[in-house]
Amino acid sequence: MKREIIQTNDGSTTIHLPEWNESYHSKHGAIQEAYHVFIKNGLSLFESMPISILEIGFGTGLNSFITFVESKKNSQKIDYVGVEAYPVALEEALQMNYAISIEESEKDMFKKMHEVGWEEKHQLSENFSLTKRQQFFQDINDENAFDLIYFDAFGFRVQPELWSEEIFEAMFKALKTNGILVTYACRTSIKNAMLSAGFSVKKLPGAPGKREMLRASKEV
């Protein structure tokens, strides 16, 4: 499938798939959406407490990189697990301008995140560890393992099977009690799938260019 590097509205780059008319990140602004959805409405709720994070869709590494930067800024211990079925090639990832836009002094760290091996835990700093798992989302079977899930799969329009009740049941099991899942999406069918899986669900204001997003919590 053809892949293009495009610039989004906030100046940050992303990978675009013309055949699907789908991008790895919002065309309205890759970085600003990542901060709004996953940091402001996810990570910030845990203040500086040590947490474990599962990312559904490691992709370009943007979400893991901004989380690393936040962990360093706040001296927060984070155990980060990124799941990706089809890893982005190193040469493609390095065309992203995230390090320059977010924290240029950590340019080597962004590269390292893509260079380190899969299926093993890497301690990238005193406070941040990264494990990359090449895995289909349908095969995730963690239980009571994570405080926070970044759900950043391709959109419902192109891959509705990734937004099913079955997937969210797996996410529910993977979370610890009082754990949270955040996603950029806000569609009635997605909200209903989350509710059926056992989540409590709240609509929140979306990132620029999107009206709403969803935050789901495991309260039992």
Side-chain angles (χ1 to χ4, degrees):
M1 188 180 295
K2 185 180 179 182
R3 301 159 69 86
E4 302 173 338
I5 306 299
I6 64 169
Q7 187 175 82
T8 68
N9 288 352
D10 67 357
S12 57
T13 53
T14 192
I15 300 170
H16 181 66
L17 309 177
E19 185 177 326
W20 284 358
N21 190 27
E22 179 77 355
S23 300
Y24 276 68
H25 304 287
S26 172
K27 291 182 180 180
H28 299 289
I31 289 175
Q32 67 182 7
E33 181 183 67
Y35 269 106
H36 178 86
V37 175
F38 303 114
I39 305 302
K40 178 182 177 181
N41 288 296
L43 182 63
S44 67
L45 302 181
F46 294 88
E47 298 179 343
S48 296
M49 62 183 284
I51 67 166
S52 53
I53 297 174
L54 173 65
E55 180 184 13
I56 302 301
F58 183 80
T60 64
L62 171 58
N63 298 329
S64 61
F65 183 67
I66 62 173
T67 303
F68 168 81
V69 171
E70 291 297 308
S71 78
K72 188 172 182 179
K73 184 189 307 181
N74 300 318
S75 299
Q76 182 177 16
K77 288 189 178 296
I78 296 176
D79 184 11
Y80 197 101
V81 175
V83 176
E84 179 62 56
Y86 301 101
V88 171
L90 175 62
E91 57 269 22
E92 195 171 30
L94 295 182
Q95 294 181 61
M96 300 297 102
N97 64 356
Y98 304 143
I100 295 173
S101 302
I102 297 168
E103 185 59 65
E104 191 166 9
S105 64
E106 298 294 349
K107 185 176 180 179
D108 288 343
M109 179 57 69
F110 179 75
K111 182 181 179 183
K112 187 174 183 179
M113 286 180 162
H114 287 279
E115 288 179 328
V116 295
W118 292 74
E119 319 306 336
E120 56 184 317
K121 185 174 181 175
H122 303 274
Q123 195 68 41
L124 299 186
S125 73
E126 181 181 355
N127 290 322
F128 190 92
S129 66
L130 172 66
T131 305
K132 298 187 297 183
R133 294 181 354 201
Q134 187 170 358
Q135 183 179 32
F136 290 110
F137 303 154
Q138 293 89 338
D139 295 333
I140 292 172
N141 58 6
D142 303 88
E143 292 189 19
N144 195 37
F146 301 100
D147 301 288
L148 175 62
I149 294 176
Y150 293 169
F151 200 89
D152 200 18
F154 281 132
F156 183 92
R157 178 181 58 83
V158 296
Q159 289 193 307
E161 69 277 9
L162 302 183
W163 302 85
S164 66
E165 181 179 338
E166 178 186 6
I167 292 290
F168 287 116
E169 285 176 349
M171 298 300 101
F172 190 85
K173 289 178 182 178
L175 281 173
K176 301 174 185 177
T177 299
N178 297 319
I180 287 172
L181 179 152
V182 285
T183 185
Y184 64 87
C186 188
R187 179 186 284 252
T188 299
S189 61
I190 294 173
K191 180 181 178 182
N192 289 341
M194 291 176 170
L195 290 169
S196 296
F199 284 105
S200 297
V201 185
K202 185 176 182 180
K203 288 184 180 181
L204 300 171
K210 297 184 179 180
R211 191 176 66 177
E212 294 173 316
M213 58 165 281
L214 294 173
R215 183 165 67 207
S217 55
K218 179 178 179 177
E219 297 176 354
V220 294

